[in-house]
Amino acid sequence: MSRSKRNTEAFFLLIILLIGAAFRFYNYYVWSLSNDELSALTRLNFSSFSEMIEKGARIDGHPVGVQSFLFYWVKLFGESEASLRLPFVIAGILSILFVYLIAERWFNRTTGLFVAISLACLQFPILYSQLARPYSPGLLFSLSMVYFWTLILFPTKQNRSKSYTDSKTNIAGFVISTSACMYTHYFAFMFAGIVCFTGLLFINRNNSRAYIISGIIIILLY
């Protein structure tokens, strides 16, 4: 592919990301906090992290990842709608990038752009990117996990010739994103488990070492 065509597609991706960001940032702090967000906020009012986990996070029924993040985020940036929802809006924007990378890798760049513009403009993902709840980061971590899963199990000929450092980067990305799924939401946990077990059908002598090492680290982290 020519450099000019790659630059054109990169330009279109940038435009799509800006559109997705505009939709997600538009009035994201204007409407009042939902009952779910208020519930999470009230369960942060503890003097210590361990007390918050025991009395504020475990009673919710969700994994403790997002509640733990909010515990420190609120201490640093306050409880306003704008500050509380900002990281979740950013997660929604990054999800557009990762869904492009997956579709581009699985199919082609044109398909990636169509998938990215769909995620950028659909009302449902926009709405849930503006809520300080596990849904937006759950989507981001699920997509990033699939992306690194793809890099490990289905490397291109060019990637096979790269150094072991690149392989370690893919392992680190897969381990971190999969572990983040497990600590964010149980649906993301279930999805990550299905994807990881599906990967066992595709391991071979070229990728088995990286995949098995990743799995062991993920189990130990959890």
Side-chain angles (χ1 to χ4, degrees):
M1 180 181 293
S2 65
R3 178 174 295 181
S4 61
K5 188 172 182 180
R6 286 198 299 268
N7 291 339
T8 300
E9 291 175 345
F11 172 76
F12 280 123
L13 176 60
L14 177 60
I15 295 299
I16 291 170
L17 289 171
L18 291 175
I19 292 171
F23 279 134
R24 284 156 178 78
F25 275 114
Y26 179 73
N27 281 346
Y28 82 98
Y29 56 88
V30 172
W31 46 296
S32 60
L33 296 174
S34 65
N35 287 337
D36 268 357
E37 291 171 306
L38 289 172
S39 172
L41 201 57
T42 56
R43 288 182 285 104
L44 296 174
N45 297 322
F46 297 98
S47 58
S48 66
F49 178 77
S50 59
E51 187 180 9
M52 185 277 297
I53 291 294
E54 190 64 31
K55 298 180 180 179
R58 295 190 185 278
I59 64 172
D60 180 45
H62 289 297
V64 299
V66 171
Q67 195 71 12
S68 300
F69 168 79
L70 287 175
F71 181 76
Y72 291 105
W73 180 265
V74 166
K75 288 184 179 300
L76 292 173
F77 301 104
E79 299 179 354
S80 69
E81 289 87 347
S83 63
L84 191 67
R85 290 171 173 161
L86 179 61
F88 300 86
V89 171
I90 294 173
I93 297 169
L94 292 176
S95 295
I96 301 170
L97 174 61
F98 273 101
V99 81
Y100 166 81
L101 293 173
I102 294 168
E104 183 269 336
R105 187 63 182 266
W106 285 19
F107 302 101
N108 53 59
R109 289 183 172 88
T110 302
T111 303
L113 292 174
F114 276 112
V115 174
I117 193 64
S118 298
L119 186 63
C121 298
L122 287 172
Q123 182 179 6
F124 191 78
I126 292 173
L127 171 63
Y128 281 92
S129 294
Q130 296 179 327
L131 292 173
R133 297 301 292 144
Y135 316 121
S136 180
L139 176 62
L140 172 62
F141 296 139
S142 296
L143 290 171
S144 59
M145 182 268 295
V146 170
Y147 175 66
F148 288 110
W149 177 87
T150 303
L151 293 182
I152 292 175
L153 290 180
F154 307 101
T156 62
K157 292 182 179 179
Q158 182 181 2
N159 288 337
R160 290 193 192 103
S161 63
K162 289 184 178 181
S163 66
Y164 185 62
T165 302
D166 297 296
S167 178
K168 289 193 292 186
T169 301
N170 295 336
I171 292 174
F174 179 63
V175 167
I176 292 171
S177 55
T178 304
S179 299
C181 285
M182 298 163 76
Y183 281 108
T184 300
H185 197 281
Y186 285 122
F187 282 145
F189 190 148
M190 181 176 66
F191 174 76
I194 292 171
V195 173
C196 289
F197 279 112
T198 303
L200 297 175
L201 302 175
F202 299 101
I203 60 174
N204 54 47
R205 64 180 183 179
N206 295 321
N207 57 37
S208 59
R209 180 182 179 186
Y211 201 68
I212 292 172
I213 291 174
S214 300
I216 294 172
I217 296 174
I218 290 167
I219 292 172
L220 291 175
L221 285 177
Y222 190 73

